[in-house]
Structures are given as C-alpha cells and as structure tokens.
Amino acid sequence: MGIGAIMGGLYLGFDLLENMVKLYDKTLAATHHPHPTTPRKMVAIAGGMHCAETTAQARTEAKPLFDMAKLSTDAYERLSKLSHDYAYMGAVKNIDFNNEEYMFEHSQGFMVGDP
C-alpha cells in the first residue's frame, strides 16, 4: 500500500534483510498506488541495543537480550506453518540464541558495543 517497510526481530542475518528490502522495492515499484506514497524510501530495522564503556562490558550486560530474542521469536515457527507468506520465518528454529558471536556480529538483531 506504499507504506514504509518495518522489519526486525528476524535474527536470520544481513543477507535475508538485504533480500527483504530488495523484494519490498521490487513489489512497491510494480504496484499501482491510488494514494500518495512517501517520496523517499524509509526502512526501519529494529533490534536490541546496548552501549557501555567497552564492547566487552556491553556484551556482558546485553546477554539478557538473548532471552528477549527467544521470547519474541517463539511464535515464528508456528506462524511459518500457517501461511506461505511467512514460511521463511520457520528458519528461526535453526538459530542458536546462545551463540554470542552470531547474535552480536551476524544476526542483525543487536547493536551492542562501545560508543
């Protein structure tokens, strides 16, 4: 409908995020909109964020975000089975939410570190 794309909480990595933005752009360009749309592209990416004096300190303090991630994605696998449009969300079952390296560096779910 020409409204902005809002994404977050997928934890499936930046490649998926990039593909989703490309799909949004392609679909928006191929669709007729009877109402005016925003003249510029806006995409919001949400996730857990924490800043501390050092990255090591921030990572230690941000570990409770993993529990938030597990809780927020609990329904994704069930939802993936209810609709083909949400099938990709089932991939969340393959994520190790205790893998700090993946969660902080590759998941796109967190921005954690020093200033």
Side-chain angles (χ1 to χ4, degrees), residues 34-91:
H35 306 289
T37 60
T38 304
R40 64 185 183 279
K41 177 178 156 182
M42 294 188 303
V43 178
I45 303 168
M49 299 175 208
H50 183 70
C51 183
E53 289 295 320
T54 67
T55 296
Q57 178 186 353
R59 284 186 171 202
T60 298
E61 293 171 354
K63 286 181 186 176
L65 292 173
F66 293 178
D67 293 330
M68 181 269 310
K70 291 176 202 175
L71 182 62
S72 70
T73 58
D74 183 55
Y76 285 16
E77 190 174 355
R78 291 190 310 273
L79 182 60
S80 73
K81 295 173 184 172
L82 295 176
S83 169
H84 176 72
D85 293 337
Y86 296 111
Y88 69 94
M89 295 176 90

Side-chain angles (χ1 to χ4, degrees), residues 16-33:
L16 175 71
L17 182 62
E18 181 179 20
N19 288 336
M20 291 180 76
V21 171
K22 287 178 181 177
L23 178 61
Y24 177 84
D25 289 344
K26 179 180 175 183
T27 304
L28 182 64
T31 306
H32 172 70
H33 301 281

